[in-house]
């Protein structure tokens, strides 16, 4: 495929980190290209509400937030290419990013590709995915109106999505492998007030049963195995960096695969930056992703044109 332009900054991912980098980059006079697999907004678009972002006193819907970002980029005429990244060449002065629908060259690359949900890795999980096994409450909650479901996990995502699912499901078992939640206390308070939620502490799911769709789970509670009849299971067992295209790349990452950066979002390879959830960081939130994007674009601008 023909390569026709060398961009100042190729941005992998159009979530808050990538979109804000595009905004700051464009405003700084850089030529930028955002390469996004699906739609702008990233992970937040599959969340019901964003409640902790400044300037939205009543919160904002996740997909609405994505649409607003898209509009903001369109206003600045920041180009967006829809495509799934296959390979990257990060070493040297000319970086290359190849995706299903094109190949692009840039003086710098910003990796802002976010995270993917972890699987539980149990029998029935893959077989019944989309038939009662879900990782996205916003996408699938409506199928479980009046039903009995399980939510797995004890982090912010499990708690937040339990609150959302409580508007649909008649009964929710919140299954957590320990006796203490990891998620924020304000979310814990919200969950504890929901009458249809029963927390199963010290419990794991060992098997998902069903023929055409989920019908029951095999669970282990305090060492005892038993069956639990449910119509669906929503899994929030943490996330992992979404970087399949980095296989074999000599980019420094931590033991979980998150990209290591300094406070200018520079990685171990010159001209390669990382921002948002994909990098090792203390707090993974929309606001910190946006901040990373602003810092990365400013650092790229300095790297290319100041020094
Ligand atoms: P997380 O904080 O890593 O929590 C994952 C949960 O899944 C933990 O409770 C963990 O148990 C459990 N878990 C992991 N592997 C498991 C397994 N194999 N079987 C059963 N349970 C398992 O992940 P997250 O909730 O997806 O959140 C990811 C990041 O996004 C966090 O930084 C979070 O703060 C942020 N986030 C923020 C918000 C918000 O602020 N509103 C919303 C969503 C996400 P243990 O506790 O025992 O480890």
């Amino acid at each position: 495929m023909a390569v026709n332009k060398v961009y100042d900054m190729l941005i992998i991912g159009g979530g808050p980190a990538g979109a804000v980098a595009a905004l700051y980059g464009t405003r700084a006079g850089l030529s930028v290209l955002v390469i996004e697999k699906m739609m702008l907004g990233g992970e937040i678009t599959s969340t019901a509400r964003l409640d902790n972002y400044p300037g939205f006193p009543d919160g904002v819907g996740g997909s609405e937030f994505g649409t607003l970002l898209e509009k903001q980029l369109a206003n600045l005429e920041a180009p967006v290419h829809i495509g799934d990244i296959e390979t990257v060449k990060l070493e040297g002065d000319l970086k290359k990013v190849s995706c299903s629908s094109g190949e692009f060259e840039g003086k710098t690359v910003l990796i802002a590709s976010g995270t993917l949900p972890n699987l539980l890795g149990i029998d029935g999980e893959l077989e019944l995915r989309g038939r009662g096994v879900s990782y996205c409450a916003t996408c699938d909650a409506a199928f479980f109106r009046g039903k009995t479901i399980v939510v797995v996990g004890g982090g912010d995502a499990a708690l937040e999505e339990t609150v959302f699912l409580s508007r649909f499901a008649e009964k929710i078992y919140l299954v957590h492998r320990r006796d203490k939640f990891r998620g924020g206390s304000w979310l814990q308070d919200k969950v504890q007030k929901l009458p249809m939620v029963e927390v199963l502490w010290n419990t794991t799911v060992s098997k998902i049963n069903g023929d055409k769709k989920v019908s029951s789970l095999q669970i282990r509670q305090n060492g005892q195995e038993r069956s639990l009849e449910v119509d669906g299971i929503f899994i929030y067992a943490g996330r992992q960096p979404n970087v399949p295209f980095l296989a074999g790349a000599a980019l420094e990452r931590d033991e979980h695969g998150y990209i290591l950066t300094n406070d200018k979002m520079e990685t171990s390879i010159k001209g390669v930056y990382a921002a948002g959830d994909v990098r090792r960081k203390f707090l993974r939130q929309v606001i910190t992703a946006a901040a990373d994007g602003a810092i990365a674009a400013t650092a790229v601008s300095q790297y290319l044109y100041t020094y």
Side-chain angles (χ1 to χ4, degrees):
M1 206 156 301
V3 174
N4 44 25
K5 174 169 183 174
V6 177
Y7 290 89
D8 286 328
M9 183 167 52
L10 295 176
I11 301 173
I12 300 177
V20 171
L23 292 178
Y24 272 68
T26 305
R27 288 168 62 96
L30 303 180
S31 60
V32 307
L33 177 70
V34 179
I35 305 167
E36 165 59 45
K37 188 173 169 181
M38 309 261 282
M39 61 181 287
L40 286 178
E43 179 60 26
I44 197 65
T45 58
S46 61
T47 303
R49 285 201 84 64
L50 171 56
D51 274 325
N52 49 4
Y53 199 83
F56 293 100
D58 303 317
V60 55
S63 64
E64 190 188 344
F65 186 76
T67 307
L68 289 170
L69 272 182
E70 193 169 2
K71 198 170 164 205
Q72 207 168 358
L73 284 193
N75 287 348
L76 282 170
E77 297 177 3
V80 178
H81 179 87
I82 299 297
D84 199 358
I85 308 289
E86 286 166 348
T87 57
V88 292
K89 183 195 146 299
L90 302 177
E91 306 283 354
D93 288 341
L94 195 62
K95 321 291 184 192
K96 288 190 183 164
V97 173
S98 302
C99 63
S100 43
S101 46
E103 183 176 301
F104 304 97
E105 292 184 339
K107 295 175 191 165
T108 67
V109 170
L110 171 65
I111 302 169
S113 48
T115 57
L116 290 171
N118 285 335
L119 305 185
L120 289 179
I122 55 175
D123 280 355
E125 184 179 14
L126 292 179
E127 297 84 341
L128 292 163
R129 189 171 183 163
R131 291 187 287 138
V133 177
S134 174
Y135 304 85
C136 176
T138 322
C139 318
D140 298 328
F143 299 120
F144 296 91
R145 203 176 286 280
K147 307 272 187 189
T148 298
I149 58 171
V150 153
V151 175
V152 177
D156 284 333
L159 299 180
E160 192 166 83
E161 301 309 329
T162 296
V163 174
F164 178 67
L165 285 160
S166 70
R167 288 160 42 194
F168 300 85
E170 189 178 274
K171 171 82 185 175
I172 303 176
Y173 294 101
L174 178 52
V175 168
H176 184 36
R177 64 183 178 183
R178 290 191 293 136
D179 61 357
K180 210 179 271 174
F181 287 128
R182 177 183 293 275
S185 57
W186 70 281
L187 278 170
Q188 293 189 32
D189 291 346
K190 271 184 155 179
V191 165
Q192 267 149 19
K193 286 186 189 127
L194 296 169
M196 78 293 288
V197 175
E198 185 179 337
V199 181
L200 303 183
W201 301 108
N202 301 311
T203 304
T204 54
V205 179
S206 39
K207 190 171 177 222
I208 304 172
N209 302 308
D211 182 13
K212 290 197 172 75
K213 57 188 181 63
V214 171
S215 56
S216 70
L217 307 178
Q218 203 62 31
I219 61 167
R220 176 175 278 267
Q221 188 171 28
N222 294 315
Q224 301 279 326
E225 286 272 344
R226 72 177 167 102
S227 176
L228 188 67
E229 279 191 23
V230 296
D231 302 294
I233 172 171
F234 286 81
I235 298 168
Y236 294 101
R239 307 186 67 85
Q240 54 182 292
N242 178 19
V243 285
F245 50 84
L246 284 186
L251 195 64
E252 278 183 22
R253 296 196 268 157
D254 74 3
E255 67 277 23
H256 305 293
Y258 289 99
I259 299 170
L260 300 182
T261 64
N262 62 14
D263 60 1
K264 285 163 79 178
M265 308 302 141
E266 292 167 327
T267 70
S268 58
I269 299 179
K270 199 173 167 200
V272 178
Y273 297 73
D277 288 4
V278 77
R279 75 180 188 96
R280 186 174 74 179
K281 63 193 305 192
F282 174 64
L283 182 65
R284 291 195 171 85
Q285 298 271 301
V286 174
I287 193 159
T288 58
D292 285 0
I295 293 167
T298 307
V300 166
S301 178
Q302 279 191 4
Y303 167 67
L304 290 178
Y305 295 111
T306 309
Y307 302 118

